[in-house]
């Protein structure tokens, strides 16, 4: 399964909610229990076999340096200021197509600031794997 992590945004809504005097950092570097959201998410999806693609934009060099995982592909969305996540997703899908990556097992798309329990993701992947034949016949998107 190809895993696409969208992490290009500026986090403007978050920035507006920060307490006075709090220095802003990009959303994917916000820490949860001492770990950046991007690294937490990469750790959570690590059990899923397949290519991991991270789309960066805002503060891309800073985020790249903070990522603690090897064997991930970085795609840059240079126009992140004027685009939505759909442009970032488009860049990732173009990468998948250009590199002729196998999509037979599906594509999982997650925003880098998503916060959920790992067991929920494991349950979803387990469900998809155990119902692969039925889902493929119906051309289902999950």
């Amino acid at each position: 399964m190809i895993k696409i992590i969208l992490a290009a945004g500026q986090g403007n809504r978050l920035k507006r909610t920060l307490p006075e005097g709090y220095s802003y950092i990009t959303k994917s570097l916000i820490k949860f229990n001492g770990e950046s959201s991007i690294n937490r998410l990469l750790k959570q999806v690590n059990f899923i076999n397949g290519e991991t693609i991270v789309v960066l934009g805002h503060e891309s060099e800073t985020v790249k340096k903070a990522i603690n995982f090897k064997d991930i592909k970085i795609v840059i969305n240079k126009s992140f200021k004027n685009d939505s996540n759909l442009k970032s997703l488009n860049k990732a899908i173009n990468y998948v197509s250009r590199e002729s990556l196998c999509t037979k097992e599906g594509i999982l798309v997650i925003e880098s600031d998503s916060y959920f329990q790992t067991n929920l993701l494991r349950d979803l992947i387990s469900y998809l794997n155990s119902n692969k034949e039925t889902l493929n016949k119906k051309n289902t998107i999950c």
Side-chain angles (χ1 to χ4, degrees):
M1 177 175 285
I2 296 170
K3 301 155 284 185
I4 296 175
I5 310 296
L6 303 176
Q10 298 178 87
N12 288 326
R13 289 185 306 263
L14 173 66
K15 190 175 185 178
R16 289 190 296 264
T17 66
L18 293 175
E20 189 176 321
Y22 187 87
S23 62
Y24 170 74
I25 58 175
T26 192
K27 271 194 314 189
S28 59
L29 295 180
I30 297 283
K31 296 204 180 213
F32 293 100
N33 296 324
E35 184 173 37
S36 69
S37 63
I38 187 80
N39 280 320
R40 181 181 190 280
L41 183 57
L42 287 167
K43 189 188 301 180
Q44 286 180 292
V45 301
N46 197 41
F47 77 93
I48 304 168
N49 292 327
E51 193 92 34
T52 301
I53 301 165
V54 177
V55 183
L56 299 177
H58 183 250
E59 296 188 28
S60 61
E61 290 304 315
T62 304
V63 177
K64 247 194 270 190
K65 289 176 188 172
I67 292 175
N68 294 331
F69 288 82
K70 297 177 183 172
D71 300 325
I72 63 168
K73 305 301 179 205
I74 302 289
V75 174
I76 303 294
N77 177 1
K78 291 181 182 175
S79 57
F80 66 89
K81 288 182 182 178
N82 304 315
D83 294 321
S84 67
N85 278 341
L86 290 178
K87 183 68 172 181
S88 291
L89 180 57
N90 183 41
K91 289 198 172 286
I93 297 297
N94 285 339
Y95 174 85
V96 168
S97 177
R98 191 172 54 251
E99 298 297 317
S100 301
L101 300 180
C102 178
T103 60
K104 184 179 178 186
E105 296 298 316
I107 300 175
L108 176 68
V109 180
I110 305 177
E111 306 234 12
S112 68
D113 60 337
S114 297
Y115 191 83
F116 51 85
Q117 295 174 346
T118 305
N119 66 312
L120 296 176
L121 180 60
R122 286 186 187 279
D123 289 349
L124 172 64
I125 299 304
S126 176
Y127 171 81
L128 294 174
N129 286 335
S130 63
N131 291 286
K132 201 179 287 186
E133 198 172 303
T134 304
L135 294 170
N136 284 340
K137 284 180 186 173
K138 294 181 179 179
N139 201 17
T140 303
I141 298 174
C142 294

